Amino acid sequence: MEEVPAAPNEGISLSALRSQFSVNGEEGPKYGFDGNRYHYGDGTSVASQNSTQILTGYDTLDVGPNYDFYANTNAQGRVRRSRPSLFQLHSNIETVWLHPYFPTTTPKEDSYDVEEPQSEPTRFGWVKGVMIRCMLNIWGVILYLRLPWITAQAGIGLTWVIILLSSCITGITGLSTSAIATNGRVKGGGTYFLISRSLGPELGGSIGLIFAFANAVAVAMHTVGFAETVQALMEESGASIVDPINDIRIIGVITVTCLLAISLAGMEWEAKAQVLFFFVILVSFANYIVGTIIPATPQKQAKGFFSYQADIFAENFVPGWRGPEGNFFGMFSIFFPSATGILAGANISGDLKDPTVAIPRGTLMAIFWTTLSYLIIAATIGACMVRDASGVMNDTLAVSSADSCQGLACQYGWDFTNCITNRTCTYGLSNQYQSMSLVSGFAPLITAGIFGATLSSALACLVSAPKVFQCLCKDNLYPVIGFFGKGNGKNDEPIRGYVLAYIIAVCFVLIAELNTIAPIISNFFLCSYALINFSCFHASITNSPGWRPSFRFYSKWMSLLGAVVSVIIMFLLTWWAALIAIGIVIFLLGYVLYKRPSVNWGSSVQAGSYNMALSYCVSLNQVDDHIKNYRPQCLVLTGPPSCRPALVDFVGTFTKNLSLMICGNVVTGGPSPATLDTASSNSHVIWLNKRQIKSFYHGVVANDLRTGVKMLLQGAGLGRIRPNVLLTGFKRDWRKDKPSCIDNYIGILHDAFDLQYGVCVLRMREGLDMFRQAQTHVDPDAMVTEPQPQPSTVFQSQQGKKTIDVYWLFDDGGLTLLLPYLLTRKKRWARCKVRVFVGGDTQRKEEQRKEVMDLISKFRLGFHDVEVLPDINARPQPEHVRRFEDLIGPYRLNTAQKDGHVTAEQLNQDCPWMVSDEEIETNKPKTLRQIRLNEVLQDYSRDAAIIFVTMPVGRRGQCPSALYMAWLETLSRDLRPPVLLVRGNQENVLTFYCQ
């Protein structure tokens, strides 16, 4: 920690700065200096805010840990603080307040004003918000109307197995949910929020949409169950509205409307209604238990109830399969939907006081108590009721029929042999769904329990669906649905979502026939369970440092087992419904993958991708490089990529899906927040992604361009995935620029050669720089750059049947041939014909052509047009020579330098770009060759799509930078097609061997 002396005699007078020195955070001034100590914007001092910090003789900008530094939102009633930046701590205290990064004016007092605290929205604890809600959603119609029948079919033993297996699946899911929910603060959105923030938007979005829809349809399911019970009671009393089917519709619509009114009244009223339903169900349970203890009346005995009997328990312990559904998986498929309510608490995560505590504790306690209640009811009703009974009071056991009596009821004085033989029994566990009403002490209380279970489940689903859907809408993963994301009131209630869920529920209530839809809904819930478990497993195996759940009682392998079992059960329940659910998930997944929304939630998929990339990069270190696996991995000196789109498009064409491309940017200047932001701005990556260029971006800050490029040449890449080819644009303005800039530009090429890089220089007639098109609009408040519409370049269009002319003048290892070959593999260049030009002698022209053809055929490049240029070494035209001399003239030694006023060593050191007569004469053959080669290019390649030319190499110390620059200028000037000057690093990149 760099401290600032408080005393004037320490060398820096802090009192001179006074209140002029202020450090601004994101939300207004946070620190100031009053001459004695630094203070916060709210008036408290640094020392008072950090009791652990001892300031004896020194004041400092540095501060201790604070909650506000890590929070994303403001606390109610006070200004949020932010820590000082590294630049503020590290930079010179005397110059910080003068830097444009900091305002020098004292902020107005009213900038410190704190908003009046708003009323706190309703929040629930783990009992009321999660446990009761989950228990109500798990307890449903199946508990009252199907569990006794399942017990008769599967027997008490296998019924317990079914219950425990279902509870194991929901329990494992509960543990996984608890782990995910405690790995950071959970906001609204429930299941969708948990999955999307763990696995990412692709799977999270798809499961969120179908989960919200499934909950909306589940409202109709539970409501229809309630309406059917009411209609049955009306039918028993002889009452009717229209007819049975329309009565269900009318009652169902009225019920859903009432539930909507409760939901719109607010979460507090909804919670009170749930507590009332919970109390009714508990009373119905107590009524049932009391009924099992009360001695059976003759009327109940005639219907098969005999109180607790060991013989009945023993007989009912084993299975008694009947009908087409009479098997284990048939009973399991009927029972399992009753266990699918464990996410009811998580679905309102945004309305919980502390979701990281409430969700684990409430969900697991709900699973435990509901499992226990299911086990108790299965055991007790199986111990007091026989499977078959006639309900006829006259079917008492006569002495004459004692020997022929069938069934366990014979031991208790009842003879149901006739209905058992004819299979006409209407009572008993196997024949009557209302067995719990028969056993209970007061049957209407069981009916009240059925009402409470169905209405509470419907209400929970009606609240869950809009809450999940609202979070999904706010994330903007899918089009159109954003309209439903708006919240109202202090609880941010999704009113529009409630109305949408109500409309969906009413539509399905009006159908009044949900037998084909119910399996699909169960499969949607199971999809959610599978993905939650997989999320927990995936986050665990990635070993991401960000995976730190405070809930420790989970196992990644148990989570994986839960995911696999959930998928298996989907197909066991209804295979075609499972296929439909999975198909919808895949379709929605594909849509999000195609649209690629700009969200970043730190998902485990990202962590897994990193792990895979890291593993593969490390594994590459164990294998030596081989020519057959050579790829041109390009470091492209683009600056900001948007400034040179043609350069980016050209390199991206032949590196896409093939090799590495890194766009390098050197920002000149000293290290400061401004230069660092410019170098590392994410806007460059956004631009590349919008242009669909598969490239990395690497920006550095350096004192000058050449130093920065050296940093890139030696530091870019990772392991063996690092650049081996430097690609830059041609410096068109070199004659107008400072001579030192020419020397730096040529020095970059020399540095690349020294570091064993291949070097390419791209020149286009219209130039590469697009600064006007690349201008960005900067919002001074948000500091976000918004790139203008992207310009098009010649490399984005179809090239047709033009030619790609390759002048393979010197053997550089084959890079000059490899690059055009890679270009022809792309669709836009596939129809172009490659012509290879080589130098030669007139006498041996055909022989040399055949030799080059044989060599190229062994490389298997598919080039069949080779032409030998015997006149390439002829003398160029005199006017072109004079043009070159005019070009180099300003950089030649003058008379004073020739007379010896300046030594050669001093000249070389101070002006390395200057050209002496000796150097002109030494390099004359190369000079004439470049002039002549330009004439050849003008003759042969005027209409080519692109020209590849082997680039000349200037010997360091013997070829001044101005002369080398003049060679490149002369070689490539006045050519209409783009010209790429290529020089490999003299190492083979092509081979005709198999190994």
Side-chain angles (χ1 to χ4, degrees), residues 786-808:
E786 300 176 0
Q788 296 295 316
Q790 299 189 357
S792 60
T793 66
V794 65
F795 299 112
Q796 292 179 313
S797 58
Q798 294 289 338
Q799 300 300 317
K801 293 185 178 181
K802 298 179 182 178
T803 61
I804 298 175
D805 290 353
V806 181
Y807 288 82
W808 194 23

Side-chain angles (χ1 to χ4, degrees), residues 213 215-221 223-224 252-253 256 462 498-511 514:
F213 178 76
N215 271 283
V217 179
V219 175
M221 286 182 57
T223 304
V224 167
V253 171
V256 174
L462 185 58
Y498 282 130
V499 174
L500 178 64
Y502 169 78
I503 293 172
I504 294 173
V506 167
C507 290
F508 282 93
V509 165
L510 293 177
I511 295 173
L514 300 178

Side-chain angles (χ1 to χ4, degrees), residues 93-173:
I93 191 72
E94 293 181 343
T95 60
V96 167
W97 67 281
L98 296 175
H99 195 280
Y101 185 70
F102 305 105
T104 56
T105 57
T106 305
K108 298 179 181 178
E109 292 184 4
D110 59 2
S111 65
Y112 290 52
D113 291 347
V114 178
E115 296 180 0
E116 289 295 324
Q118 300 177 353
S119 58
E120 188 72 20
T122 305
R123 294 285 186 261
F124 305 111
W126 69 274
V127 175
K128 193 174 181 180
V130 181
M131 188 185 77
I132 291 178
R133 188 176 299 276
C134 287
M135 292 177 71
L136 287 172
N137 224 18
I138 294 172
W139 286 331
V141 178
I142 290 177
L143 170 67
Y144 290 97
L145 302 182
R146 289 294 182 273
L147 185 58
W149 175 72
I150 293 173
T151 304
Q153 289 270 6
I156 298 172
L158 285 181
T159 301
W160 278 2
V161 172
I162 291 172
I163 295 170
L164 292 175
L165 180 58
S166 302
S167 298
C168 282
I169 296 170
T170 56
I172 292 172
T173 307

Side-chain angles (χ1 to χ4, degrees), residues 831-889:
R831 300 175 64 191
C832 290
K833 178 183 178 182
V834 178
R835 300 190 299 176
V836 179
F837 298 89
V838 295
D841 300 327
T842 305
Q843 293 80 7
R844 301 180 59 244
K845 180 177 179 180
E846 192 58 35
E847 183 183 347
Q848 290 174 338
R849 179 184 176 280
K850 189 175 184 303
E851 289 175 358
V852 175
M853 277 291 298
D854 289 342
L855 180 60
I856 293 178
S857 65
K858 289 182 179 179
F859 288 144
R860 307 171 308 282
L861 296 174
F863 302 163
H864 304 294
D865 194 339
V866 175
E867 188 164 345
V868 177
L869 302 173
D871 57 343
I872 197 171
N873 295 316
R875 291 191 64 83
Q877 298 179 18
E879 60 268 24
H880 294 157
V881 176
R882 285 193 297 271
R883 187 176 178 183
F884 178 84
E885 291 173 350
D886 294 340
L887 191 67
I888 201 65

Side-chain angles (χ1 to χ4, degrees), residues 122-408:
T122 305
R123 294 285 186 261
F124 305 111
W126 69 274
V127 175
K128 193 174 181 180
V130 181
M131 188 185 77
I132 291 178
R133 188 176 299 276
C134 287
M135 292 177 71
L136 287 172
N137 224 18
I138 294 172
W139 286 331
V141 178
I142 290 177
L143 170 67
Y144 290 97
L145 302 182
R146 289 294 182 273
L147 185 58
W149 175 72
I150 293 173
T151 304
Q153 289 270 6
I156 298 172
L158 285 181
T159 301
W160 278 2
V161 172
I162 291 172
I163 295 170
L164 292 175
L165 180 58
S166 302
S167 298
C168 282
I169 296 170
T170 56
I172 292 172
T173 307
L175 294 175
S176 300
T177 304
S178 301
I180 298 172
T182 58
N183 190 50
R185 178 173 293 182
V186 178
K187 298 181 181 179
T191 307
Y192 161 71
F193 187 88
L194 295 178
I195 297 178
S196 62
R197 270 53 175 181
S198 292
L199 280 180
E202 297 84 4
L203 283 171
S206 58
I207 213 65
L209 198 58
I210 62 174
F211 188 76
F213 178 76
N215 271 283
V217 179
V219 175
M221 286 182 57
H222 295 299
T223 304
V224 167
F226 168 79
E228 286 179 350
T229 306
V230 173
Q231 190 273 333
L233 292 174
M234 292 172 58
E235 194 173 7
E236 288 179 7
S237 60
S240 177
I241 302 175
V242 184
D243 55 66
I245 191 72
N246 284 313
D247 287 357
I248 293 174
R249 289 170 178 164
I250 294 171
I251 297 169
V253 171
I254 295 173
T255 304
V256 174
T257 305
C258 293
L259 294 177
L260 176 66
I262 295 174
S263 301
L264 293 178
M267 288 297 297
E268 195 167 353
W269 283 96
E270 186 268 348
K272 290 178 180 178
Q274 293 286 31
V275 171
L276 175 63
F277 291 142
F278 184 72
F279 177 74
V280 170
I281 292 175
L282 290 183
V283 170
S284 72
F285 282 169
N287 170 55
Y288 163 77
I289 295 298
V290 170
T292 61
I293 300 172
I294 297 174
T297 62
Q299 290 80 5
K300 288 186 176 183
Q301 288 183 354
K303 296 179 180 180
F305 173 65
F306 296 98
S307 294
Y308 291 110
Q309 303 291 338
D311 293 339
I312 296 177
F313 180 85
E315 181 171 310
N316 286 338
F317 193 83
V318 296
W321 307 116
R322 298 182 186 181
E325 298 169 328
N327 57 74
F328 179 82
F329 288 112
M331 293 301 106
F332 183 87
S333 65
I334 292 172
F335 174 81
F336 186 77
S338 68
T340 57
I342 63 169
L343 299 177
N347 286 339
I348 62 161
S349 53
D351 297 300
L352 302 175
K353 291 179 182 177
D354 188 355
T356 57
V357 173
I359 292 175
R361 188 178 298 176
T363 302
L364 296 176
M365 288 298 289
I367 293 172
F368 172 77
W369 288 115
T370 53
T371 302
L372 186 63
S373 65
Y374 278 128
L375 293 172
I376 290 174
I377 290 174
T380 52
I381 203 162
C384 23
M385 257 191 106
V386 295
R387 285 189 169 99
D388 295 293
S390 64
V392 179
M393 294 294 295
N394 295 329
D395 284 349
T396 52
L397 182 65
V399 178
S400 59
S401 61
D403 296 334
S404 60
C405 183
Q406 295 182 20
L408 200 60

Side-chain angles (χ1 to χ4, degrees), residues 610-625:
Y610 176 87
N611 283 358
M612 290 176 61
L614 184 62
S615 175
Y616 287 138
C617 283
V618 173
S619 65
L620 284 176
N621 291 334
Q622 303 172 10
V623 182
D624 293 334
D625 289 333

